Every structure is written in structure tokens, then in C-alpha cells.
Amino acid sequence: MEFFERINIFAKEIEKRKEFLDRNRLESCCGKDIDDQKEQQEYHSFIADSRLLADVNRELKENHPSEKRNILLAARESITDSMFYKNGELLKLTNEYQENLGGKKYNYNNEELSFNQLFGKIYTTEDPEQRNGIYHALYGNDDRILTPALGMIKKRTELARKFGFIDYSEIFRAGIEENEIHRLLDSKTRKLAERLIPVKNNLGLQSRGSLSFCDWEFTKNRKAIKLDKFREKIDDPVKLVLEFYASIGYGDCLDRVRVQVEDIPTCGMFFTLDPPVILIGKKAQNMMQLSALVHEFGHAVEYLHRTGDNLLVSTDPFFGIKEGLAIFFERLFYSKENLLKLGFSEDDISCYHLFKDSFIVNFDAFVLNNARTELKIYADGVIAPDEISKYHAKNFENITGVKISENTWLYDFVLNTQPGYGYWYTIGSLFSDNLFDYLQNNNESLISPETGRIISEKILKHGGLKNWKEKFWCSGPVPI
């Protein structure tokens, strides 16, 4: 049997097993009591094929054309993900970290509070010194959290080298060299600095130099911005979002999506089933709450434009592109052009964008900082916790001008349990910026079917057979 036919059969079997698990996850989200631990283990045991991984690594040394090489890279990523999932020691360390972090309690004014409960006091405490005291107390040294966190870093590094990678960062870097990554991250840092200027000016903070995290958060959340129009109830939020996608050329494909309203703790969730399913949270009732719904419909657009029959590359396997597309659709939905079409005034839109930007730059800054920390930790293998702490805090201050506690990396659940997340979302945000700029320069109107045609032609029709870096620069490959 030809090797790539073997990979195709492997992908078909994954797809069949994955659909079963996705249906279980959907039913679980809809309130059904599902225990599929046995099926989860069987699924990952099937994919975690060490002999197939060795064969894939051997084939990667051959001079295959780019499309076949991308299939091999996607297969390697899928196999190694399951091999990490199956490792008992790593799973034990992850569970220990989650339990100790989630169970940590703080004594505040003779009251026992969780991390989130105490963090909330930052927004309600008027005294700046007291706010800062609360904040730094949250991030104290705690060996019960530090020990499993360092253990996870060490184990991931050890397994990555065992599986034939230079280091663990090579797994989530998705084929881009470290020096190229840092040029991309530097580019995002410059863009963020530009976007922070009007946000800080609006908050009256631009002239204050370095800020404490508490002052930044407290001021941002207390700023009164006129948003009444955006808080008005929408009778049919799904219809509004579908009309938006129809206006950019995707109305027909989204007719095939099944939409269910459920009592879920978010505005939307997407399931890659046939037909695909989006769960809508009951909270998604006004324009302020629709971003997650627009985001999930963006994932549905990509899924419904799959290429070929190989699950591994029918859509782009790189999360930076997947998330970048969904981020782009969110940005387009809330663009001035679309909001004007929906009847909002220029004044309303200006207020909303100031409000939204204060949160977007916050998220972008956190994921960008996490991206740098992830690369530092996993490119170096195992480094001293004090070095991680100083590196993480100093980078955030360099990016934003905001000082954070040195131990924040240790309490960052996503950074420690989902390494690569910061990198993927930072690349995704940059991809969204590039796509937006390209469409503005090559399209008279962003809200038109031509936008969908360009995205389908340049991004979606290639699935994962075209390297993500070529899609990243929509006008064609250019130096990073």
C-alpha cells in the first residue's frame, strides 16, 4: 500500500471516531449525563501510533512536494497530540496543577474566598493601596502549584525530544523558525502600542507612564461609555448573524448549519458534525453579546468549505489560521461599515469601538505575552522559575506599559495547561489584521459578496494543502 493511501485510511478512521465523541460532547452540553472516558482513551490510543509516527518522520526527510509534506506534518501533529494526551505522568501532573489551583483559598477580612472571588475585589475596592495589596496577595509563591507546573514543562520537553522534535516549542510553532516568530511577535507589539494610545487617552492614562495592573483594570472598568443602543434586546440574534454572513457571500452554506438554543455558560459553541451544529447561549440577546456567536459561525464557514476527503488537511490544521478567520469575521461584523448598515450612528459606533478596543488590546496583550513566555520556556527546556517570572512580567510591561505581578504566569491556567494557545491566537490576530488590510485595499466594500469570494479563493479552497504562511500574507508570500 502506498504510504499516503495509508495516511488517508488513518484519517478516515479518525473522522469516524471523532464524530462519535463530538456527538457525546454535544449531548453533554445539552444536559445529558455522558461518561465517555473509555471511548476517549480508545480514540487517543488508536491515534497515538508510535510506529506510524516513526514512518511519518522518515517520510518528512524525503523531498516530497509541498502538498504531501503538509499532509505529513498534519499527521505528525495529530499523532503527537494523542501521545501527549495518553502519557500517564503528564496527565497526573496536569490534574494535580488543576486541582491545586482551582482549590486554592484565600482569607480576606475573615472570609474564605476563591481566586476569582478575591480577584473581583480589585474592581470594587476604592483604595488603590488596598487594591494593589489584594492583587499581589493573589499571586504569592505556592509550591503546591509551582511543583506540578514545572513538572509539566519538564515532561513535555522530555516527550518532545523522545518523539523526534528539537524541543516542545517545535510542536506548536507549526513549521516556522524561531527568528521568524520573534519578527512576527515584534510586529504585533508595535501594532498593539499604536492601538493602546487612543485607549489610554480615553481613560486619561496616557501621561502616567508605567501603570499598575490594578489601576489599569479599575480605571478601564469604571469608565462610563454610552452604549445604550448596543444593549437593546435583539428579537432574533441568529437571524441577524446569518444576514451578516449572507451579505458577504456565505448565506447558502450557513443554511446547512443546525442552531440550538441551550442554557450554556457562553454565547456560542461549534460542533464539527454532519450537519454542523452551533449551540446558542440564552445570554446572546444584544449586540454586546454577539461576538462569540459571530466567531462560531466563522468556524462553521471554514468547516463547510472543506477540501478533499482527508480530515487531517480538509481544513487548515494550524489553529492560528482557524482562529484568525473567526477573529476576522468578528472584526468585520463590528466594523463601522457593517454597523452603519445596521442603523447605528457614527457617535454610537465611536463609543462602542473605544469600549471594545480597551478589552481587545487587553486580550491581545495577554496572548502575545504568553506567546513569548511559551517560546522561552519550551525552547530553553527547563529554566528557573524566578527567571520565568521576571521574563513574563517584564515583557508585559514592555508591551503595554502596565506592571503585573511576577508570579502571574504560574496562575495562568491556559498558559500552563494549553501551551501554544498564546502563540496561535497572536498569529491569528495578525492574520486577521493582514486579511482586513488586504480586503480594504482590493475591495470597494468590505460588506459584499466579493469579500467571501476572495476569502474562499485565497484561504478556504486550499484547506491544509497550502502552507499556512502563504495564506498568512494574503497578497502572496512576502518576507516576514
Side-chain angles (χ1 to χ4, degrees):
M1 183 188 299
E2 197 259 347
F3 184 73
F4 285 91
E5 184 182 344
R6 178 182 166 198
I7 292 291
N8 209 33
I9 292 170
F10 175 68
K12 286 182 184 297
E13 184 61 29
I14 292 175
E15 186 170 22
K16 186 170 66 177
R17 294 170 184 243
K18 183 176 182 298
E19 182 171 1
F20 174 79
L21 292 174
D22 282 347
R23 289 196 184 282
N24 279 353
R25 187 166 67 94
L26 172 61
E27 290 185 10
S28 177
C29 289
C30 294
K32 190 171 181 179
D33 188 14
I34 300 281
D35 182 5
D36 61 359
Q37 284 298 308
K38 180 183 175 185
E39 288 83 0
Q40 288 274 5
Q41 288 294 327
E42 288 175 352
Y43 172 76
H44 287 288
S45 294
F46 170 76
I47 300 173
D49 187 332
S50 58
R51 286 179 297 178
L52 182 57
L53 178 62
D55 291 343
V56 167
N57 283 334
R58 186 191 66 245
E59 290 291 331
L60 280 167
K61 295 175 183 176
E62 301 295 326
N63 189 27
H64 288 296
S66 61
E67 287 194 359
K68 287 192 172 183
R69 182 169 179 79
N70 288 335
I71 291 171
L72 292 170
L73 289 170
R76 183 176 71 166
E77 180 182 347
S78 183
I79 296 166
T80 51
D81 278 351
S82 286
M83 292 178 89
F84 276 92
Y85 179 91
K86 284 282 294 175
N87 185 269
E89 188 177 343
L90 182 58
L91 182 62
K92 182 181 177 183
L93 287 163
T94 304
N95 288 339
E96 184 183 347
Y97 172 82
Q98 291 174 338
E99 288 168 9
N100 292 348
L101 181 64
K104 188 175 174 69
K105 298 294 182 185
Y106 299 83
N107 190 286
Y108 178 76
N109 288 347
N110 297 319
E111 185 181 6
E112 190 176 68
L113 301 175
S114 69
F115 181 94
N116 288 337
Q117 287 171 326
L118 184 56
F119 195 94
K121 300 289 183 185
I122 292 171
Y123 301 110
T124 57
T125 303
E126 299 288 341
D127 184 344
E129 286 189 15
Q130 193 175 0
R131 282 200 305 269
N132 282 314
I134 292 169
Y135 176 66
H136 289 290
L138 281 163
Y139 295 103
N141 290 314
D142 189 331
D143 286 343
R144 294 177 68 250
I145 298 171
L146 178 63
T147 300
L150 292 177
M152 287 188 287
I153 294 169
K154 183 178 179 181
K155 193 64 188 175
R156 289 183 188 120
T157 300
E158 175 191 313
L159 290 172
R161 289 171 179 163
K162 178 182 176 182
F163 299 152
F165 296 92
I166 296 169
D167 54 47
Y168 186 75
S169 77
E170 188 185 355
I171 294 174
F172 61 75
R173 282 194 274 119
I176 187 168
E177 296 302 320
E178 210 175 331
N179 60 338
E180 292 181 300
I181 290 172
H182 285 295
R183 285 202 292 275
L184 283 172
L185 299 186
D186 288 345
S187 170
K188 187 61 182 177
T189 301
R190 290 190 295 272
K191 287 175 181 286
L192 262 178
E194 292 170 7
R195 291 178 68 187
L196 272 165
I197 292 171
V199 171
K200 286 186 176 180
N201 281 337
N202 180 56
L203 296 173
L205 298 173
Q206 185 61 26
S207 62
R208 289 184 50 182
S210 286
L211 300 159
S212 74
F213 177 82
C214 290
D215 287 347
W216 164 247
E217 286 292 303
F218 185 81
T219 306
K220 180 164 62 72
N221 281 273
R222 287 295 181 96
K223 178 69 177 180
I225 299 178
K226 184 182 174 185
L227 297 167
D228 295 347
K229 288 287 288 181
F230 286 85
R231 291 195 169 101
E232 290 179 1
K233 185 175 180 180
I234 298 168
D235 292 332
D236 192 342
V238 175
K239 181 173 180 282
L240 183 67
V241 173
L242 284 173
E243 286 173 348
F244 159 71
Y245 277 102
S247 72
I248 57 172
Y250 291 120
D252 291 346
C253 79
L254 289 177
D255 287 343
R256 291 146 52 196
V257 178
R258 193 173 93 226
V259 180
Q260 294 177 209
V261 178
E262 297 287 346
D263 190 13
I264 55 175
T266 183
C267 294
M269 298 175 71
F270 177 62
F271 296 83
T272 55
L273 298 168
D274 187 16
V277 176
I278 292 179
L279 292 189
I280 306 303
K282 293 179 179 178
K283 294 179 181 178
Q285 295 187 5
N286 63 44
M287 287 293 289
M288 301 286 288
Q289 300 164 331
L290 286 189
S291 59
L293 183 53
V294 178
H295 189 101
E296 299 308 327
F297 269 104
H299 287 311
V301 166
E302 186 197 22
Y303 180 71
L304 289 167
H305 286 79
R306 300 188 300 281
T307 298
D309 60 356
N310 187 324
L311 171 75
L312 299 173
V313 288
S314 60
T315 60
D316 199 304
F318 179 48
F319 280 100
I321 295 294
K322 288 184 180 301
E323 293 305 326
L325 272 171
I327 290 167
F328 167 80
F329 287 126
E330 276 186 72
R331 183 176 173 186
L332 192 59
F333 180 79
Y334 288 104
S335 68
K336 182 178 179 179
E337 183 178 344
N338 192 50
L339 292 177
L340 284 171
K341 287 189 174 184
L342 292 175
F344 292 92
S345 71
E346 295 214 13
D347 190 43
D348 287 332
I349 295 167
S350 179
C351 287
Y352 177 77
H353 282 171
L354 274 173
F355 168 82
K356 188 79 172 175
D357 274 359
S358 70
F359 290 92
I360 290 174
V361 295
N362 227 31
F363 177 77
D364 280 0
F366 272 103
V367 293
L368 171 58
N369 195 43
N370 279 6
R372 290 196 184 278
T373 301
E374 289 162 354
L375 291 164
K376 175 72 173 172
I377 289 172
Y378 291 108
D380 287 3
V382 178
I383 59 178
D386 285 351
E387 187 179 345
I388 302 173
S389 296
K390 287 181 171 60
Y391 182 86
H392 189 71
K394 189 62 182 173
N395 267 324
F396 192 79
E397 186 177 357
N398 290 341
I399 292 165
T400 62
V402 175
K403 293 181 178 180
I404 59 172
S405 170
E406 287 193 349
N407 275 342
T408 52
W409 75 273
L410 182 58
Y411 288 77
D412 191 319
F413 179 82
V414 174
L415 175 65
N416 287 289
T417 64
Q418 298 178 50
Y421 180 97
Y423 173 67
W424 297 327
Y425 270 83
T426 299
I427 299 298
S429 179
L430 273 168
F431 171 65
S432 171
D433 292 343
N434 289 347
L435 183 55
F436 204 90
D437 290 346
Y438 178 79
L439 286 163
Q440 277 190 318
N441 293 331
N442 292 274
N443 206 359
E444 283 187 21
S445 169
L446 288 170
I447 310 300
S448 72
E450 181 65 6
T451 288
R453 188 197 67 76
I454 292 172
I455 292 171
S456 296
E457 181 67 24
K458 289 194 166 286
I459 310 296
L460 300 178
K461 82 170 189 180
H462 303 288
L465 293 175
K466 189 173 185 178
N467 188 276
W468 72 269
K469 286 188 284 184
E470 294 180 65
K471 299 176 190 173
F472 186 87
W473 304 102
C474 297
S475 54
V478 297
I480 293 173

